Amino acid sequence: MTKTHFTESLPRKRMAADCLIMDQSGRLLVLKPPYKGTWDLPGGVIEEDESPWAAARREVREEIGLAVDPGRLLAVDWIARSGDFTEVIAFLFDGGMIMPEAIERLVVQPAEVTTFRFVSPDEAGPPP
């Protein structure tokens, strides 16, 4: 059996890369996707042969028109299957601080984001 055949037989996992972006008040930027009932961080699915860092950068630009160079990797986590969503390995990068003038220039892409807001870390916590 060749190496190509062996790797093709292995399980595949979905991966995602997000950015933690804060405003000057220390609130987190969250987005409301039209395809799920929860708020989300800016970011999304890592494409084939794309690094997590590059995916985070691309996804933030696609979703809200913000050019960001993700900073250090803050966390890697596994998220279990939930409803129609498969399990995912998630990478979280430091997206830095966004200034008020940049917030005014954010443009949501309706296919990916319906609106955005800033929330305190307490508001962003897991649901009860």
Side-chain angles (χ1 to χ4, degrees), residues 19-35:
C19 281
L20 188 67
I21 299 172
M22 301 177 82
D23 69 5
Q24 290 181 306
S25 299
R27 297 177 304 162
L28 308 171
L29 174 62
V30 292
L31 312 177
K32 181 67 178 91
Y35 50 85

Side-chain angles (χ1 to χ4, degrees), residues 7 57 88 113 117 128:
T7 59
R57 185 172 195 249
V88 63
V113 177
R117 66 182 177 149

Side-chain angles (χ1 to χ4, degrees), residues 4-124:
T4 301
H5 290 120
F6 171 72
T7 59
E8 288 175 358
S9 70
L10 296 174
R12 294 178 182 250
K13 294 206 181 277
R14 185 169 55 95
M15 295 188 297
D18 298 330
C19 281
L20 188 67
I21 299 172
M22 301 177 82
D23 69 5
Q24 290 181 306
S25 299
R27 297 177 304 162
L28 308 171
L29 174 62
V30 292
L31 312 177
K32 181 67 178 91
Y35 50 85
K36 62 178 168 178
T38 58
W39 290 79
D40 218 344
L41 294 173
V45 173
I46 300 170
E47 295 179 355
E48 189 172 348
D49 295 323
E50 181 179 44
S51 75
W53 185 91
R57 185 172 195 249
R58 175 186 51 75
E59 283 285 343
V60 171
R61 184 180 299 253
E62 286 177 2
E63 290 177 336
I64 56 176
L66 180 66
V68 63
D69 286 327
R72 69 184 179 95
L73 180 64
L74 301 174
V76 177
D77 198 7
W78 173 79
I79 302 165
R81 175 183 297 274
S82 176
D84 292 335
F85 290 91
T86 61
E87 66 180 337
V88 63
I89 302 295
F91 297 82
L92 180 61
F93 292 93
D94 181 351
M97 184 182 300
I98 187 170
M99 297 296 149
E101 57 275 7
I103 295 170
E104 293 173 12
R105 292 191 308 268
L106 295 181
V107 177
V108 299
Q109 297 304 314
E112 300 199 32
V113 177
T114 57
T115 190
F116 67 89
R117 66 182 177 149
F118 288 87
V119 298
S120 71
D122 289 340
E123 291 174 291

